[in-house]
Structure formats: C-alpha cells, structure tokens
Amino acid sequence: MPAAASNAIKTYRMMEYVRRFTAEPAAVQQLVLADPGQFFIVAVEQLYPLFTQAVPPSRATGHSLVYVTSGQARMSIGNDSYTVGPHEMLIARAGQVYSFEPGDMNTGFVCHFHDAILLGQAAPADAQVPFDFLHFWGRPVIELPAQTAEFVGQLLHRLLVEYTTHGLTYPAVVRAYLLALLHELNRAHSTDEPAPLTAAAALTNHFKHLVASSLKTTHRVRDYAEWLNISPNHLSKCVRRVTGKSPARWIEESIVLEAKVLLFQSKWSVGEVGAAVGIEDASYFSRLFRKHTGLTPLAFRKRHTPS
C-alpha cells in the first residue's frame, strides 16, 4: 500500500480569503471577530452578498458548515458539485478542495471551526475529533429530519448570539454549543447513511482514498489496481459504473484540481506546480491542464488574480 503523500498545497486562513475575494473586507471584519481561524459563525445572508467574484479551488485550515434555512447554496467540493436547500447541512472538511460562485439567494448560517477549538489546549498533538462525518470520504451533505433541523437551527442561533456578543472570550461556552451541534449532526449522519454499499461502490471509494493520498507520486491506473488486488479492467468497470468516469479520467481531473489550488494559492512557476502534482514535464502538464479547463495554467492564474 502507498504511503500518504506530503501535502504541498497551503491552506487559507480566513482573513487572507476575505481580503482577496470580498468587495468590502471591512464589512466582513465586523462580522468575523478575533481569531477567525479558530472559530466564527455568521448569517449566510450577511456574508454571501459580500463575495462578488467566483472563488477558485481553495483549501482552508478548518471545517466549514453551511446550513440553509431558505433558498439554496451551491458549492463544488473535490470533483463534484452540490446544491443544498432548507434542512440540509453542507460540509467542507478541513483540507478538502472547494470552490463556489456568487449569486445564491438564501438565509441560514456559515460556521467555520478548527479542530483545536473542539479539542482544547490540553489535547495531545495527534488527537482527532470524534466525529466520523468530519473524516468520511463521501457525500458532504447531511439531510436533517424536521425535529433535528429545529434543534440544529436553535444551536446555530445560540452560537451566533454568543459569538456576536462575546467573540471567543468564553471558549468553553462556544465549545459546549459546538459539540452539541456536532453530536446532532453525527446522529443525523448515521441515520442518513445509504443502504450498504455495493461492492463496486466500496471499491470506488477505496480507489478515491488512494488517489487522494498518492496523487503526487502515482498516476497509473494499473498501480492502483495492484494495490486493490484487482485487474485494471475490473477497476475500470467499477469506477465507471459508480462515477460515470474512467479511473484515468478521475486521476487526471484530480491532478488538475490540485494544480488549480496551487496556481491560485501559491506563486510557484508552472513547472513547479506541475512537479508538485507529480508531472515533471511542464509542457505535458500545460497540455493536460488545458485539456480539462480550456485555459493554460498561466491564463487560469491571471483570471483569478485581482488586477
């Protein structure tokens, strides 16, 4: 089995993000108080209108929860796009690649938090939060039953009141409400899980895990098939059946997605970006990037660089 590849792609802290993508950074700073990398919560209808341009693929250091009470919210997470409406929670987990377009009309809450706010200062350095839905490689949407949605809405409102009144002056209070919220979501996630996965779906999920951890060093379908102890042909049939894409296409799209993040969040040259996603030939990297985006790497970077 492959070792996990090192992650060269940096992650954004909240105020870097705000300065780059909102028309009114000062307005956001009034909503997002001290140390937003640890925790913040704002009303969707106050935050979303301040984003006036598309946010390209990015990573953040914490988890983001988007809960809609009316309207809808759209976001791309990984290689897939999602739309959520009332009584649905959309989760962008820490380290996941996500992007979104402006223009959604909705109400609700955006809650962002780092693992550290849950674990506290006394937690061991290698401690992990005890919620499967924050680690699970799967659909990042939790559909909430009516009663649970009511509880979740109340908890988010109470967190918003606490945060706007006191910021993080009383972290134990914030942690208590946040833990209650996450326990409600975890219970809903457990009951919302689909029927047991078919063999093809389970194999495809395992393939996605391997691609995510080994993308920098391994691009050949036959290597992934070997790690899974199956033939390349069987892997291809399973992945196509579940995703509608071939394993090679999935790998290529994952390479391009990683490259988009680097082009946006770093100042590396095209050759350095290509090498970081495992392609040493800068010319081949540029051709692959253009094949999937219609843009050269430099044109993509220029499009998402403020003038």
Side-chain angles (χ1 to χ4, degrees):
M1 295 294 290
S6 60
N7 182 5
I9 299 174
K10 78 169 190 174
T11 52
Y12 252 108
R13 294 192 181 278
M14 177 61 189
M15 293 320 296
E16 293 178 66
Y17 205 78
V18 165
R19 283 192 292 269
R20 192 156 189 178
F21 286 104
T22 59
E24 303 177 56
V28 179
Q29 286 183 297
Q30 291 180 349
L31 300 173
V32 177
L33 308 177
D35 203 3
Q38 290 292 302
F39 176 86
F40 72 84
I41 182 168
V42 297
V44 167
E45 59 269 27
Q46 290 182 293
L47 184 64
Y48 266 37
L50 298 176
F51 284 88
T52 56
Q53 58 179 306
V55 175
S58 313
R59 275 197 172 103
T61 53
H63 312 282
S64 293
L65 308 178
V66 180
Y67 181 64
V68 175
T69 55
S70 70
Q72 65 178 28
R74 299 166 298 154
M75 184 177 288
S76 294
I77 299 176
N79 292 327
D80 299 307
S81 297
Y82 301 90
T83 300
V84 294
H87 296 181
E88 293 182 322
M89 183 71 76
L90 180 63
I91 305 160
R93 302 167 181 94
Q96 279 192 307
V97 178
Y98 69 95
S99 61
F100 64 90
E101 301 275 345
D104 286 345
M105 301 296 291
N106 48 36
T107 62
F109 302 88
V110 176
C111 181
H112 178 88
F113 62 95
H114 193 279
D115 285 351
I117 194 71
L118 295 176
L119 298 170
Q121 296 180 342
D126 59 350
Q128 290 189 330
V129 295
F131 298 103
D132 289 343
F133 71 92
L134 292 179
H135 302 291
F136 181 64
W137 181 278
R139 188 170 181 266
V141 177
I142 300 177
E143 298 175 6
L144 304 177
Q147 187 176 50
T148 302
E150 182 180 354
F151 294 155
V152 164
Q154 291 169 353
L155 287 165
L156 286 165
H157 179 71
R158 187 65 191 89
L159 274 167
L160 181 60
V161 171
E162 174 66 26
Y163 184 67
T164 54
T165 305
H166 301 293
L168 291 178
T169 303
Y170 305 103
V173 175
V174 171
R175 185 178 303 114
Y177 285 124
L178 184 57
L179 283 168
L181 170 67
L182 296 177
H183 278 293
E184 289 287 355
L185 294 177
N186 202 46
R187 180 163 55 184
H189 175 263
S190 298
T191 58
D192 188 39
E193 286 181 336
L197 293 177
T198 64
L203 189 96
T204 298
N205 279 350
H206 198 174
F207 167 71
K208 291 179 182 180
H209 274 290
L210 291 174
V211 171
S213 62
S214 308
L215 189 64
K216 184 177 179 180
T217 57
T218 307
H219 297 164
R220 299 187 306 180
V221 173
R222 68 170 178 252
D223 289 332
Y224 289 102
E226 182 178 339
W227 289 333
L228 292 166
N229 295 313
I230 58 174
S231 69
N233 185 53
H234 183 58
L235 176 61
S236 180
K237 287 181 179 178
C238 290
V239 174
R240 279 185 183 277
R241 187 182 311 155
V242 174
T243 70
K245 303 174 186 177
S246 69
R249 173 101 183 172
W250 187 274
I251 292 168
E252 286 187 358
E253 289 184 357
S254 297
I255 291 169
V256 171
L257 187 62
E258 295 289 302
K260 285 180 177 179
V261 180
L262 275 175
L263 287 163
F264 165 56
Q265 291 188 192
S266 80
K267 296 182 179 180
W268 292 357
S269 69
V270 170
E272 289 171 327
V273 170
V277 295
I279 301 178
E280 297 292 340
D281 185 334
S283 178
Y284 171 69
F285 167 66
S286 293
R287 291 197 304 273
L288 178 67
F289 192 91
R290 187 164 191 168
K291 169 186 170 182
H292 287 276
T293 67
L295 297 169
T296 66
L298 287 178
F300 173 84
R301 172 176 277 165
K302 183 176 181 180
R303 173 176 288 187
H304 295 290
T305 299
S307 57

